[in-house]
Amino acid sequence: DIFRLAEALGAPIISDISSNITNHENVISFYDHFIDNINPDMIFRFGKKPISKKINQLINQNQSSTYLIRKRAVFNDDANNIISTVDQLLDNLSSSFCKDKNWLEIFKKNQIKIENSISENLEKDRINEYNFAFNLLEFIPEKSNIFIGNSLMIRSFDSYSKRPEKKLSFFSNRGASGIDGNISTALGIAKASNETSFLIIGDQSFMHDVSALQLLKDNQSNLVIFIINNFGGGIFDYLDISKTVDFKDTYEKFIRCSHTVNFKSIVSSYGIRYKRLNSISDLSLITEKGPMIYEILIDGD
């Protein structure tokens, strides 16, 4: 239905990383970097509210011309206009509606421009959350499951990864956006699937579910874990309060929860294979067979 509507309207598809809507020529990547310069006539939504704050701002600014396509209202969604089906929508569109071929091209040109800019400006081999998200999917085999943890990592992949042409299945624990149980959830996905599964998780989320490593070991699950360790809750560095000098010590201790721990000893104590990745080049060395844990140590600054 999404592809049918996009083709009928000549419209770009803004594809949230968790949506699994990837393999279509109208799907746009890197939109988070230019969407605040876009002025749409209409917005058609499918599914839950997106991850991107900029997309949500765009929706809020265009509430009267935004339509949620689903059969009934949802208690935690503030959509004003709800349309049951795509067929109903297409029937109601004016017969005089005319595609603007330039509209989709604007998005595609922006996509190429941003991809080139990211490629040129991210440090080529020094690894961080953003060039990890930009490069990783190239090294993930077809049909893999990819579970992306909350906070900074899901946002990094939403903003910095190109929507893949190969078939990959993305998962995340959204909603309340808690950090509990992410390893356990990924283990469940790996158990239920015959395909290789990958988990990308931050250090805070990893610590909150570290006991699940016993299940990983006991079941010899085909799960490969990447721990993105920026030594605390890096997402909170985007808050203004993190820059308040008088509050700095309290912020670091109680909000960012800064620490100096790496997880080699913890992982090894469970008898699980461990390797530290030091550069983007190291991604070419990753295995498809779990249980395996990779840790990436990132300078939070």
Side-chain angles (χ1 to χ4, degrees), residues 55 71 101 145 191 195 206 219 285 292 299:
I55 294 292
K71 292 185 177 179
K101 294 181 180 178
N145 303 309
K191 180 72 172 177
E195 307 297 342
F206 182 81
N219 289 281
L285 306 175
M292 178 72 194
D299 181 347

Side-chain angles (χ1 to χ4, degrees), residues 195-245:
E195 307 297 342
T196 301
S197 295
F198 296 87
L199 166 63
I200 301 153
I201 191 170
D203 50 287
Q204 298 290 300
S205 298
F206 182 81
M207 286 190 280
H208 271 254
D209 200 22
V210 71
S211 61
L213 295 184
Q214 188 65 54
L215 292 173
L216 177 61
K217 172 64 176 176
D218 290 347
N219 289 281
Q220 288 295 300
S221 296
N222 194 15
L223 177 66
V224 177
I225 299 176
F226 296 96
I227 307 171
I228 312 301
N229 187 356
N230 53 23
F231 301 99
I235 190 69
F236 299 116
D237 290 344
Y238 288 91
L239 299 176
D240 291 339
I241 201 168
S242 69
K243 312 297 189 295
T244 305
V245 176

Side-chain angles (χ1 to χ4, degrees), residues 223-289:
L223 177 66
V224 177
I225 299 176
F226 296 96
I227 307 171
I228 312 301
N229 187 356
N230 53 23
F231 301 99
I235 190 69
F236 299 116
D237 290 344
Y238 288 91
L239 299 176
D240 291 339
I241 201 168
S242 69
K243 312 297 189 295
T244 305
V245 176
D246 294 343
F247 198 70
K248 193 70 176 174
D249 290 343
T250 305
Y251 164 76
E252 291 287 345
K253 184 175 181 180
F254 293 108
I255 297 178
R256 196 182 195 281
C257 299
S258 294
H259 62 85
T260 57
V261 177
N262 70 65
F263 300 106
K264 180 178 181 179
S265 297
I266 293 174
V267 172
S268 299
S269 72
Y270 284 91
I272 299 170
R273 290 178 297 156
Y274 169 97
K275 184 175 178 58
R276 178 177 167 184
L277 300 179
N278 298 301
S279 66
I280 291 297
S281 301
D282 285 349
L283 294 179
S284 63
L285 306 175
I286 64 176
T287 180
E288 300 175 18
K289 297 296 181 182

Side-chain angles (χ1 to χ4, degrees), residues 46-59:
F46 294 82
K48 297 179 181 179
K49 281 287 191 76
I51 292 165
S52 167
K53 289 185 177 180
K54 289 186 178 181
I55 294 292
N56 283 317
Q57 288 171 357
L58 188 73
I59 291 169

Side-chain angles (χ1 to χ4, degrees), residues 42-46 64-69 81-83:
M42 290 183 289
I43 299 172
F44 299 107
R45 284 184 48 216
F46 294 82
S64 61
S65 56
T66 296
Y67 298 84
L68 176 62
I69 315 300
N81 307 306
I82 298 176
I83 298 178

Side-chain angles (χ1 to χ4, degrees), residues 60-289:
N60 290 336
Q61 292 163 3
N62 295 272
Q63 278 195 330
S64 61
S65 56
T66 296
Y67 298 84
L68 176 62
I69 315 300
R70 64 180 304 150
K71 292 185 177 179
R72 59 187 65 86
V74 186
F75 79 95
N76 63 345
D77 197 309
D78 57 358
N80 290 333
N81 307 306
I82 298 176
I83 298 178
S84 296
T85 65
V86 166
D87 288 327
Q88 180 189 354
L89 172 60
L90 291 174
D91 289 343
N92 290 339
L93 283 175
S94 169
S95 59
S96 62
F97 180 86
C98 181
K99 292 182 184 178
D100 181 356
K101 294 181 180 178
N102 292 326
W103 181 238
L104 182 57
E105 287 305 310
I106 289 171
F107 282 80
K108 290 185 174 181
K109 287 177 181 177
N110 273 302
Q111 174 181 258
I112 293 170
K113 179 181 177 181
I114 295 300
E115 183 175 5
N116 290 338
S117 179
I118 292 172
S119 181
E120 291 169 4
N121 288 289
L122 282 177
E123 294 181 72
K124 297 300 182 189
D125 215 34
R126 183 187 179 193
I127 200 163
N128 59 47
E129 298 93 337
Y130 307 107
N131 57 7
F132 177 77
F134 185 69
N135 288 284
L136 178 67
L137 299 186
E138 176 186 344
F139 301 96
I140 299 296
E142 185 95 17
K143 297 183 180 179
S144 295
N145 303 309
I146 305 175
F147 186 99
I148 308 177
N150 276 314
S151 299
L152 190 54
M153 286 321 302
I154 189 82
R155 290 179 172 86
S156 297
F157 273 83
D158 194 49
S159 295
Y160 283 88
S161 67
K162 185 175 183 178
R163 302 301 178 260
E165 294 182 3
K166 57 187 171 184
K167 177 62 177 175
L168 299 173
S169 296
F170 292 95
F171 300 87
S172 64
N173 280 346
R174 298 301 297 162
S177 296
I179 62 174
D180 300 306
N182 283 340
I183 301 175
S184 299
T185 307
L187 279 168
I189 292 167
K191 180 72 172 177
S193 173
N194 294 322
E195 307 297 342
T196 301
S197 295
F198 296 87
L199 166 63
I200 301 153
I201 191 170
D203 50 287
Q204 298 290 300
S205 298
F206 182 81
M207 286 190 280
H208 271 254
D209 200 22
V210 71
S211 61
L213 295 184
Q214 188 65 54
L215 292 173
L216 177 61
K217 172 64 176 176
D218 290 347
N219 289 281
Q220 288 295 300
S221 296
N222 194 15
L223 177 66
V224 177
I225 299 176
F226 296 96
I227 307 171
I228 312 301
N229 187 356
N230 53 23
F231 301 99
I235 190 69
F236 299 116
D237 290 344
Y238 288 91
L239 299 176
D240 291 339
I241 201 168
S242 69
K243 312 297 189 295
T244 305
V245 176
D246 294 343
F247 198 70
K248 193 70 176 174
D249 290 343
T250 305
Y251 164 76
E252 291 287 345
K253 184 175 181 180
F254 293 108
I255 297 178
R256 196 182 195 281
C257 299
S258 294
H259 62 85
T260 57
V261 177
N262 70 65
F263 300 106
K264 180 178 181 179
S265 297
I266 293 174
V267 172
S268 299
S269 72
Y270 284 91
I272 299 170
R273 290 178 297 156
Y274 169 97
K275 184 175 178 58
R276 178 177 167 184
L277 300 179
N278 298 301
S279 66
I280 291 297
S281 301
D282 285 349
L283 294 179
S284 63
L285 306 175
I286 64 176
T287 180
E288 300 175 18
K289 297 296 181 182

